[in-house]
Amino acid sequence: MYYVIQVASGMEERAEEQINVVVDRKLYDRCFHPMRHMKKKLRGEWRELHEKLLPGYVFVVSDSVKELYQELKHVPAFTRMLGKDAEQFIPLSKEEVEWLTRIMRTAGDGMEVGLSQVSVSEDDVITILSGPLKSMEGYIRKIDLHRRIAKVEVEFMNRKTVIHLGIEMVGKKRETMAG
């Protein structure tokens, strides 16, 4: 089962390190915070960046949630576990785990959402050629070609959340106006 831990934004790596030191490894399979591969224009140049997909959240996969929670209380970076209903912890739904695992791939130690390749035809039709967005067409709310971002609406912890995923333009349309 996938559970979500809330930590202070910017403390995701530290929380993972502390969990790996403090919490008994028998209580969880893995602990990660999803990243996203982006391209951003900085000082006139496109650069590849790796950013947090959901800042302030760390995911932990466990079948022993009650024992895990007791040990998490000793982790300094731990804020709270999401989905607590009285004494019951609610894991991510099957659908949430499916979209998360579908869009992510293993990158180094963690999990990362890669770039999706898109093409734009001369009549401004955007086609998703490959990448994580290929399976999410119905969830895309907006594609910002200028900033190379796709805004995707997903269900996360029982509410709709917009996440930004990186896109890469291939087969870019020809400019028809004289510059």
Side-chain angles (χ1 to χ4, degrees), residues 54 99 152-163:
L54 296 159
W99 76 253
V152 181
E153 187 176 80
V154 293
E155 189 81 20
F156 177 64
M157 297 304 293
N158 294 321
R159 64 175 220 251
K160 294 200 179 297
T161 304
V162 175
I163 57 173

Side-chain angles (χ1 to χ4, degrees), residues 40-59:
K40 285 194 176 175
K41 203 170 212 177
L42 300 169
R43 293 192 275 300
E45 243 181 78
W46 285 102
R47 303 207 180 175
E48 301 212 8
L49 301 174
H50 301 274
E51 302 174 339
K52 293 171 184 80
L53 179 65
L54 296 159
Y57 298 107
V58 171
F59 292 74

Side-chain angles (χ1 to χ4, degrees), residues 24 50 68 70 74 78 81-82 99 108 136 150 154 163 168:
D24 185 346
H50 301 274
L68 174 69
Q70 291 308 316
H74 303 291
F78 174 71
M81 231 167 143
L82 297 187
W99 76 253
M136 298 186 74
V154 293
I163 57 173
E168 183 171 39

Side-chain angles (χ1 to χ4, degrees), residues 175-179:
E175 297 298 324
T176 53
M177 298 187 330

Side-chain angles (χ1 to χ4, degrees), residues 69-83:
Y69 178 69
Q70 291 308 316
E71 291 204 22
L72 284 173
K73 290 178 179 178
H74 303 291
V75 174
F78 174 71
T79 304
R80 68 188 181 108
M81 231 167 143
L82 297 187

